Amino acid sequence: MIIQMHYFPIRHVVRGFAALTLLISLNARAQDDVYPAPAYKGKLYITGGTIHIGNGQVIEGGTIAVDNGKIVQVGQNIAVPAGSGSDVKIVDAKGRQIYPGLILPVTDLGLKEIANGVRGSNDYEELGDLNPNVRAIVAYNTDSKIINTLKGNGILLASVTPQGGTISGSSSVVQLDAWNWEDAAYRMDGAIHLHMPSFIVRPRRFGRRAGPEAPSDPAKEALAKVEEMKAFFREAKGYLQTSPHKETNLKFEAVKGLFSKQQKLFVHGDQVKQMLVAVDFAKEFGFEVVIVGGSESWLIAPLLKANNIAVILGQQHALPTTEDDDFDQPYKTPALLQKAGVLFALNDDHDEARYRNLMFNAGTAAAYGLTKEQALQAITLNAARILGIDDRAGSLEAGKDANIVISSGDLLDMRTSIVEHAYIQGREVGLDNKQTQLYHRYMHKYGLTPTP
C-alpha cells in the first residue's frame, strides 16, 4: 500500500483554523445559554398584583413577602421597605396576575428528548416486566431543551416517570432550574408506577379492525396478568415481614414504601375495569392508589371518592374514549370529578405539545364546568397533594417555597398568557429558551424589530 502525503502551505492551515473557530463560535451562540439561577438569600417583595393563592382564594392588590426562599406573608397592607437594596428586592406587579408555580404530575421530561426517533437519547424505560427498583431520577437530564420552554409557560415542578413493562419503577419530583439531578430533586421516589393491562380491544377508528397483535380473549389475559401482579405484591409483603434475609431482593425492597405509605401506587389505566382492579389493590394491600389517565373515571366517581382514590387525568384536548361518548366528554370530566369530591389533577403529554399546554388544558376545563380557580388548583395544589409535596408547594401560603409565576394576563387563556417572571424557591429563573433565541436570531438577520 502506498500512502500519499500531501503538504499544504501554512496559510491554508491558518485560514482553515480560523474558519473552524468562526463556525464553532456561531454554533455556540445558537445554543441554549440559560444557566440555573443562584440562590437568593435576601428578602423579596412582590407587590400590587392580583394573587391567585391556588386554594380558591384571590387577593386583589396584594403583596407576597419572601425571606430566604420561603413565603412569610401573603395579603394586603404588608409593610414593604422604601427601596431595593443588596439584600432586598421589590417587584412591582401592579396590573399583573400572580400564580403558584404550575406542576406537571406525570411526565417523561428529561428522559425522552426526541420522542422515539433516536433510541440512544431515550432513558424512559428498561427491559423486563417488573422493574420497581428502576429510579427515574438518576436518568433525569437537566440539559433537556424542553425544560426551558416549560419554565417560560409557568411550569416549575414536574414528576419524572419511567415507562415500560407492568411495573416500570419509581417517579420523583424535580424543580426545573438545576445543574444536575441531585440539585433538581424535590421529592425522590414518591410513587411506584404500575401499568394495568387492557381488558378490552376496541376497533380502531374509521372502521379499521384491530391488528393481528390483539389477544383473542383480552379479559382472560388481563386477569392472568393481574394475578401475576398480586402474586408479586404478596411475595413482597411476606419478604418485608421477615428478617434478616440471606440475600437482598432489590425488587421487593423497592416497594417497601408502598406498605408503609411513604409511597403511592400510581396505576395507569383509562378503562373502568382497570380502575376497579386498582380499587381492589387498595383494599387488599392497603396501598394509597392514584389513577393515571382515567378517561372513564367519571363513570365511577362516587366509588373513587369512597375509596379515597385520586385521579391524574390525561391530555384534555383528545377524542372521546369510546364512540358512544359525548364529543366533549374529555372537557367535562374534570367538572364531574369535582362535583363528586374526587381529588384530581390535570396533565399534558409529550407527543402533541411537549407539555406546554398544561395551563390551557386547565383553561378548557374552566370552560366546561370548573371555575377558573378550581381549574388552577387542578394544576397546582391538587397536583401537589397527590405528589405529597403540598407542605412545600402548590399554593402561595406562608411557610411554603416561593415558587411563583407572574403573568401579564390570564395564565389559563392562550390569548393573554404571557409569563414575565418566574421564581423557584425565591430565586428568579431565566425564561429564555431555544425558541426565543431562534426568534431573536432571525429577527436580527432580517432587520426586523422583535415583538416585546
Side-chain angles (χ1 to χ4, degrees):
M1 179 182 290
I2 299 175
I3 301 177
Q4 293 183 323
M5 303 295 293
H6 296 276
Y7 297 91
F8 296 93
I10 189 67
R11 65 179 181 275
H12 291 171
V13 176
V14 172
R15 288 173 181 171
F17 180 76
L20 178 61
T21 302
L22 177 60
L23 179 61
I24 292 174
S25 65
L26 288 174
N27 286 339
R29 287 199 296 269
Q31 301 302 309
D32 273 350
D33 56 1
V34 181
Y35 310 122
Y40 178 64
K41 298 298 184 181
K43 296 182 178 181
L44 169 68
Y45 295 88
I46 301 175
T47 66
T50 299
I51 303 172
H52 303 263
I53 301 297
N55 59 6
Q57 183 182 3
V58 179
I59 300 175
E60 298 287 348
T63 296
I64 302 175
V66 177
D67 190 0
N68 287 330
K70 292 284 187 180
I71 298 173
V72 293
Q73 282 183 292
V74 180
Q76 297 172 325
N77 304 318
I78 294 175
V80 179
S84 297
S86 59
D87 60 346
V88 176
K89 292 182 180 179
I90 300 175
V91 177
D92 183 3
K94 186 176 181 180
R96 303 295 189 265
Q97 307 293 314
I98 306 173
Y99 301 91
L102 308 186
I103 302 172
L104 197 60
V106 175
T107 173
D108 55 19
L109 177 68
L111 306 179
K112 180 191 288 184
E113 189 68 9
I114 320 174
N116 296 318
V118 182
R119 182 176 179 180
S121 73
N122 296 335
D123 292 316
Y124 58 89
E125 65 179 352
E126 295 292 338
L127 298 175
D129 193 42
L130 302 176
N131 295 307
N133 52 310
V134 168
R135 305 174 66 214
I137 185 66
V138 298
Y140 175 62
N141 175 24
T142 56
D143 293 325
S144 168
K145 294 295 186 290
I146 301 174
I147 291 173
N148 289 330
T149 66
L150 300 190
K151 288 189 293 185
N153 284 278
I155 301 170
L156 306 184
L157 299 175
S159 181
V160 293
T161 305
Q163 301 176 16
T166 301
I167 301 178
S168 57
S170 65
S171 59
S172 295
V173 181
V174 296
Q175 55 87 5
L176 303 188
D177 193 66
W179 288 105
N180 50 52
W181 69 262
E182 293 93 341
D183 295 340
Y186 205 80
R187 188 193 178 196
M188 292 200 291
D189 305 316
I192 297 292
H193 289 257
L194 183 152
H195 297 265
M196 194 66 67
S198 177
F199 283 80
I200 58 175
V201 176
R202 292 192 174 100
R204 296 180 181 179
R205 295 182 184 274
F206 309 111
R208 293 180 295 174
R209 295 182 179 179
E213 72 281 357
S216 58
D217 192 342
K220 182 178 179 180
E221 293 191 18
L223 287 173
K225 179 63 70 174
V226 168
E227 286 305 313
E228 289 180 18
M229 291 185 287
K230 285 187 175 182
F232 170 81
F233 286 116
R234 288 167 186 153
E235 291 174 12
K237 183 177 181 180
Y239 169 88
L240 295 169
Q241 288 176 339
T242 60
S243 61
H245 302 286
K246 292 182 179 180
E247 295 182 358
T248 299
N249 188 310
L250 295 179
K251 295 181 186 294
F252 291 162
E253 292 285 348
V255 298
K256 182 187 300 183
L258 290 176
F259 293 95
S260 64
K261 298 190 182 300
Q262 294 177 333
Q263 292 176 311
K264 296 181 181 181
L265 182 65
F266 279 36
V267 178
H268 294 245
D270 289 295
Q271 302 162 11
V272 167
K273 290 183 179 180
Q274 292 173 320
M275 289 180 275
L276 292 177
V277 173
V279 173
D280 190 43
F281 270 74
K283 290 180 177 179
E284 177 174 347
F285 300 105
F287 294 159
E288 292 189 41
V289 171
V290 176
I291 300 295
V292 179
S295 62
E296 294 184 348
S297 58
W298 60 280
L299 291 169
I300 56 170
L303 179 65
L304 297 177
K305 170 62 177 176
N307 288 276
N308 295 316
I309 293 179
V311 178
I312 297 175
L313 292 170
Q315 164 68 268
Q316 295 299 105
H317 301 147
L319 292 172
T321 303
T322 70
E323 295 180 355
D324 293 332
D325 287 342
D326 293 344
F327 74 93
D328 55 357
Q329 186 57 57
Y331 311 150
K332 299 188 296 186
T333 297
L336 294 174
L337 295 181
Q338 179 79 27
K339 184 178 180 180
V342 176
L343 177 63
F344 73 95
L346 300 180
N347 202 29
D348 199 20
D349 63 21
H350 180 285
D351 295 332
E352 297 298 329
R354 302 298 189 270
Y355 314 114
R356 291 180 299 229
N357 282 343
L358 177 65
M359 55 285 190
F360 305 138
N361 286 337
T364 298
Y368 281 81
L370 293 184
T371 67
K372 276 290 181 72
E373 298 308 313
Q374 288 171 340
L376 174 66
Q377 189 168 332
I379 54 176
T380 54
L381 186 56
N382 283 7
R385 287 172 176 165
I386 293 172
L387 297 173
I389 57 172
D390 53 305
D391 59 331
R392 301 176 58 192
S395 61
L396 302 178
E397 298 177 273
K400 295 192 177 185
D401 289 345
N403 302 328
I404 303 169
V405 175
I406 303 176
S407 173
S408 62
D410 183 349
L411 194 63
L412 310 187
D413 181 2
M414 191 176 292
R415 297 172 302 169
T416 61
S417 177
I418 300 177
V419 175
E420 296 183 345
H421 301 276
Y423 301 84
I424 296 179
Q425 296 170 314
R427 51 197 176 90
E428 184 165 12
V429 299
L431 301 179
D432 200 12
N433 57 63
K434 186 68 173 179
Q435 283 68 38
T436 58
Q437 289 178 348
L438 289 173
Y439 169 73
H440 287 286
R441 176 185 176 90
Y442 287 99
M443 292 295 282
H444 171 76
K445 177 180 180 179
Y446 294 108
L448 303 174
T449 302
T451 303

